[in-house]
């Protein structure tokens, strides 16, 4: 994985921020941006084939999916103190999302989360 791959993370965050400008309760867009960043960073760090981010809003809320191209399924774990900042991405998703999951998709997988809400 190169620095160019991770350079896409701020661009995705900006695009999501623009999409969610008038969405959700105060702070909801910030949570969506954080969780999207965590999932995308995980996909780019733990795979070598890039990732695709999809965000969809409907009256019930927001669903964000991050698809990568490896079949290894992630699972949250409680990181030890010695892990520094590593290993907390899925723990954050689990704690802050209204729903989340992972499923196989073709030659890879999709990790997704949902946040309830609608127009602000």
């Amino acid at each position: 994985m190169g620095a160019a791959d991770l350079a896409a993370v701020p661009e995705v965050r900006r695009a999501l921020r623009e999409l969610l400008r008038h969405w959700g309760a105060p702070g909801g867009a910030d949570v969506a941006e954080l969780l999207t960043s965590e999932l995308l960073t995980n996909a780019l760090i733990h795979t070598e084939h890039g990732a695709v981010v999809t965000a969809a809003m409907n009256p019930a809320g927001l669903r964000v999916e991050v698809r990568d191209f490896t079949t290894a399924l992630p699972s949250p774990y409680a990181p030890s103190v010695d892990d520094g900042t590593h290993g907390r991405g899925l723990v954050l998703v689990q704690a802050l999302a209204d729903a989340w999951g992972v499923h196989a998709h073709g030659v890879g997988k999709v990790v997704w989360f949902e946040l309830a809400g609608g127009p602000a």
Side-chain angles (χ1 to χ4, degrees):
M1 177 201 62
D5 294 327
L6 286 177
V9 175
E11 292 177 35
V12 170
R13 288 177 68 129
R14 275 191 292 280
L16 186 66
R17 193 176 312 122
E18 181 63 25
L19 176 70
L20 300 177
R21 193 166 22 128
H22 302 292
W23 177 85
D30 294 334
V31 171
E33 186 179 335
L34 171 67
L35 299 184
T36 301
S37 180
E38 291 294 335
L39 293 185
L40 179 56
T41 300
N42 282 351
L44 295 175
I45 287 174
H46 298 292
T47 71
E48 297 180 9
H49 305 288
V52 176
V53 177
T54 304
M57 292 185 297
N58 63 47
L62 170 74
R63 180 179 175 103
V64 174
E65 297 181 350
V66 177
R67 179 179 179 207
D68 65 41
F69 303 95
T70 62
T71 56
L73 299 178
S75 60
Y77 73 98
S80 71
V81 175
D82 297 337
D83 282 342
T85 59
H86 296 289
R88 289 170 172 73
L90 285 180
V91 173
L92 282 172
V93 173
Q94 189 175 36
L96 297 176
D98 293 309
W100 80 279
V102 58
H103 64 269
H105 186 275
V107 297
K109 66 182 167 300
V110 172
V111 183
W112 59 270
F113 70 85
E114 293 177 347
L115 295 173

